[in-house]
PDB file of all heavy atoms in Angstrom:
ATOM      1  N   VAL X 121     -17.655   8.335   2.003  1.00 98.00           N
ATOM      2  CA  VAL X 121     -16.510   9.113   2.470  1.00 98.00           C
ATOM      3  C   VAL X 121     -15.382   9.042   1.438  1.00 98.00           C
ATOM      4  O   VAL X 121     -15.082   7.971   0.903  1.00 98.00           O
ATOM      5  CB  VAL X 121     -16.026   8.593   3.840  1.00 98.00           C
ATOM      6  CG1 VAL X 121     -14.724   9.274   4.255  1.00 98.00           C
ATOM      7  CG2 VAL X 121     -17.103   8.832   4.893  1.00 98.00           C
ATOM      8  N   PHE X 125      -9.680  10.396   2.893  1.00 96.00           N
ATOM      9  CA  PHE X 125      -9.815  10.422   4.346  1.00 96.00           C
ATOM     10  C   PHE X 125      -9.803   9.038   4.988  1.00 96.00           C
ATOM     11  O   PHE X 125      -9.961   8.910   6.201  1.00 96.00           O
ATOM     12  CB  PHE X 125     -11.107  11.144   4.737  1.00 96.00           C
ATOM     13  CG  PHE X 125     -11.186  12.554   4.250  1.00 96.00           C
ATOM     14  CD1 PHE X 125     -12.384  13.084   3.800  1.00 96.00           C
ATOM     15  CD2 PHE X 125     -10.064  13.360   4.227  1.00 96.00           C
ATOM     16  CE1 PHE X 125     -12.459  14.391   3.348  1.00 96.00           C
ATOM     17  CE2 PHE X 125     -10.128  14.672   3.777  1.00 96.00           C
ATOM     18  CZ  PHE X 125     -11.330  15.185   3.336  1.00 96.00           C
ATOM     19  N   PHE X 155      -0.397  10.893   8.322  1.00 97.00           N
ATOM     20  CA  PHE X 155      -1.646  11.533   7.928  1.00 97.00           C
ATOM     21  C   PHE X 155      -1.425  13.034   8.018  1.00 97.00           C
ATOM     22  O   PHE X 155      -0.908  13.520   9.037  1.00 97.00           O
ATOM     23  CB  PHE X 155      -2.785  11.115   8.865  1.00 97.00           C
ATOM     24  CG  PHE X 155      -4.164  11.427   8.358  1.00 97.00           C
ATOM     25  CD1 PHE X 155      -4.783  10.587   7.454  1.00 97.00           C
ATOM     26  CD2 PHE X 155      -4.840  12.552   8.800  1.00 97.00           C
ATOM     27  CE1 PHE X 155      -6.061  10.867   6.984  1.00 97.00           C
ATOM     28  CE2 PHE X 155      -6.114  12.843   8.342  1.00 97.00           C
ATOM     29  CZ  PHE X 155      -6.730  12.001   7.430  1.00 97.00           C
ATOM     30  N   LEU X 157      -1.814  16.794   8.896  1.00 97.00           N
ATOM     31  CA  LEU X 157      -2.590  17.501   9.905  1.00 97.00           C
ATOM     32  C   LEU X 157      -3.689  18.349   9.278  1.00 97.00           C
ATOM     33  O   LEU X 157      -4.757  18.515   9.867  1.00 97.00           O
ATOM     34  CB  LEU X 157      -1.656  18.380  10.744  1.00 97.00           C
ATOM     35  CG  LEU X 157      -1.091  17.732  12.009  1.00 97.00           C
ATOM     36  CD1 LEU X 157       0.058  18.553  12.570  1.00 97.00           C
ATOM     37  CD2 LEU X 157      -2.176  17.557  13.047  1.00 97.00           C
ATOM     38  N   ALA X 158      -3.448  18.880   8.100  1.00 97.00           N
ATOM     39  CA  ALA X 158      -4.452  19.713   7.436  1.00 97.00           C
ATOM     40  C   ALA X 158      -5.710  18.931   7.096  1.00 97.00           C
ATOM     41  O   ALA X 158      -6.784  19.523   6.894  1.00 97.00           O
ATOM     42  CB  ALA X 158      -3.858  20.333   6.170  1.00 97.00           C
ATOM     43  N   ALA X 159      -5.600  17.602   7.019  1.00 97.00           N
ATOM     44  CA  ALA X 159      -6.760  16.765   6.674  1.00 97.00           C
ATOM     45  C   ALA X 159      -7.480  16.223   7.902  1.00 97.00           C
ATOM     46  O   ALA X 159      -8.510  15.558   7.767  1.00 97.00           O
ATOM     47  CB  ALA X 159      -6.316  15.604   5.786  1.00 97.00           C
ATOM     48  N   ALA X 160      -6.957  16.494   9.095  1.00 97.00           N
ATOM     49  CA  ALA X 160      -7.538  15.907  10.305  1.00 97.00           C
ATOM     50  C   ALA X 160      -8.992  16.342  10.503  1.00 97.00           C
ATOM     51  O   ALA X 160      -9.874  15.513  10.758  1.00 97.00           O
ATOM     52  CB  ALA X 160      -6.702  16.284  11.525  1.00 97.00           C
ATOM     53  N   LYS X 161      -9.272  17.634  10.408  1.00 97.00           N
ATOM     54  CA  LYS X 161     -10.633  18.123  10.632  1.00 97.00           C
ATOM     55  C   LYS X 161     -11.580  17.694   9.509  1.00 97.00           C
ATOM     56  O   LYS X 161     -12.701  17.221   9.795  1.00 97.00           O
ATOM     57  CB  LYS X 161     -10.619  19.646  10.763  1.00 97.00           C
ATOM     58  CG  LYS X 161     -11.987  20.260  11.080  1.00 97.00           C
ATOM     59  CD  LYS X 161     -12.514  19.745  12.415  1.00 97.00           C
ATOM     60  CE  LYS X 161     -13.632  20.634  12.979  1.00 97.00           C
ATOM     61  NZ  LYS X 161     -14.785  20.783  12.103  1.00 97.00           N
ATOM     62  N   PRO X 162     -11.207  17.827   8.235  1.00 98.00           N
ATOM     63  CA  PRO X 162     -12.097  17.335   7.182  1.00 98.00           C
ATOM     64  C   PRO X 162     -12.404  15.845   7.313  1.00 98.00           C
ATOM     65  O   PRO X 162     -13.536  15.419   7.073  1.00 98.00           O
ATOM     66  CB  PRO X 162     -11.321  17.635   5.891  1.00 98.00           C
ATOM     67  CG  PRO X 162     -10.444  18.782   6.240  1.00 98.00           C
ATOM     68  CD  PRO X 162     -10.061  18.568   7.676  1.00 98.00           C
ATOM     69  N   ALA X 163     -11.401  15.059   7.713  1.00 98.00           N
ATOM     70  CA  ALA X 163     -11.633  13.624   7.897  1.00 98.00           C
ATOM     71  C   ALA X 163     -12.587  13.379   9.049  1.00 98.00           C
ATOM     72  O   ALA X 163     -13.532  12.579   8.942  1.00 98.00           O
ATOM     73  CB  ALA X 163     -10.310  12.903   8.135  1.00 98.00           C
ATOM     74  N   ALA X 164     -12.362  14.069  10.177  1.00 98.00           N
ATOM     75  CA  ALA X 164     -13.244  13.908  11.333  1.00 98.00           C
ATOM     76  C   ALA X 164     -14.674  14.304  10.978  1.00 98.00           C
ATOM     77  O   ALA X 164     -15.635  13.626  11.372  1.00 98.00           O
ATOM     78  CB  ALA X 164     -12.730  14.745  12.503  1.00 98.00           C
ATOM     79  N   ASP X 165     -14.835  15.397  10.237  1.00 98.00           N
ATOM     80  CA  ASP X 165     -16.171  15.840   9.831  1.00 98.00           C
ATOM     81  C   ASP X 165     -16.849  14.802   8.942  1.00 98.00           C
ATOM     82  O   ASP X 165     -18.055  14.533   9.081  1.00 98.00           O
ATOM     83  CB  ASP X 165     -16.087  17.169   9.084  1.00 98.00           C
ATOM     84  CG  ASP X 165     -15.749  18.340   9.992  1.00 98.00           C
ATOM     85  OD1 ASP X 165     -15.850  18.172  11.222  1.00 98.00           O
ATOM     86  OD2 ASP X 165     -15.380  19.413   9.468  1.00 98.00           O
ATOM     87  N   ALA X 166     -16.070  14.212   8.033  1.00 98.00           N
ATOM     88  CA  ALA X 166     -16.635  13.212   7.121  1.00 98.00           C
ATOM     89  C   ALA X 166     -17.070  11.972   7.885  1.00 98.00           C
ATOM     90  O   ALA X 166     -18.127  11.394   7.607  1.00 98.00           O
ATOM     91  CB  ALA X 166     -15.605  12.848   6.048  1.00 98.00           C
ATOM     92  N   TYR X 167     -16.271  11.550   8.862  1.00 98.00           N
ATOM     93  CA  TYR X 167     -16.632  10.386   9.667  1.00 98.00           C
ATOM     94  C   TYR X 167     -17.877  10.676  10.505  1.00 98.00           C
ATOM     95  O   TYR X 167     -18.790   9.851  10.602  1.00 98.00           O
ATOM     96  CB  TYR X 167     -15.498  10.012  10.635  1.00 98.00           C
ATOM     97  CG  TYR X 167     -14.199   9.585   9.999  1.00 98.00           C
ATOM     98  CD1 TYR X 167     -13.071   9.396  10.797  1.00 98.00           C
ATOM     99  CD2 TYR X 167     -14.068   9.382   8.627  1.00 98.00           C
ATOM    100  CE1 TYR X 167     -11.863   9.005  10.256  1.00 98.00           C
ATOM    101  CE2 TYR X 167     -12.865   8.996   8.084  1.00 98.00           C
ATOM    102  CZ  TYR X 167     -11.762   8.812   8.897  1.00 98.00           C
ATOM    103  OH  TYR X 167     -10.556   8.437   8.356  1.00 98.00           O
ATOM    104  N   ARG X 168     -17.902  11.855  11.117  1.00 98.00           N
ATOM    105  CA  ARG X 168     -19.030  12.183  12.000  1.00 98.00           C
ATOM    106  C   ARG X 168     -20.340  12.273  11.208  1.00 98.00           C
ATOM    107  O   ARG X 168     -21.411  11.921  11.722  1.00 98.00           O
ATOM    108  CB  ARG X 168     -18.755  13.505  12.725  1.00 98.00           C
ATOM    109  CG  ARG X 168     -19.708  13.758  13.873  1.00 98.00           C
ATOM    110  CD  ARG X 168     -19.350  15.005  14.653  1.00 98.00           C
ATOM    111  NE  ARG X 168     -18.143  14.878  15.453  1.00 98.00           N
ATOM    112  CZ  ARG X 168     -18.090  14.232  16.615  1.00 98.00           C
ATOM    113  NH1 ARG X 168     -19.171  13.626  17.097  1.00 98.00           N
ATOM    114  NH2 ARG X 168     -16.967  14.169  17.293  1.00 98.00           N
ATOM    115  N   HIS X 193      -6.519  18.617  15.422  1.00 98.00           N
ATOM    116  CA  HIS X 193      -6.802  19.778  14.574  1.00 98.00           C
ATOM    117  C   HIS X 193      -6.832  21.049  15.401  1.00 98.00           C
ATOM    118  O   HIS X 193      -6.267  22.083  14.994  1.00 98.00           O
ATOM    119  CB  HIS X 193      -8.139  19.609  13.861  1.00 98.00           C
ATOM    120  CG  HIS X 193      -8.628  20.892  13.257  1.00 98.00           C
ATOM    121  ND1 HIS X 193      -8.110  21.415  12.092  1.00 98.00           N
ATOM    122  CD2 HIS X 193      -9.577  21.791  13.687  1.00 98.00           C
ATOM    123  CE1 HIS X 193      -8.708  22.563  11.810  1.00 98.00           C
ATOM    124  NE2 HIS X 193      -9.597  22.811  12.754  1.00 98.00           N
TER     125      HIS X 193
END
Side-chain angles (χ1 to χ4, degrees):
V121 173
F125 301 142
F155 195 82
L157 268 166
K161 183 61 162 58
D165 288 346
Y167 297 172
R168 193 175 289 283
H193 166 76

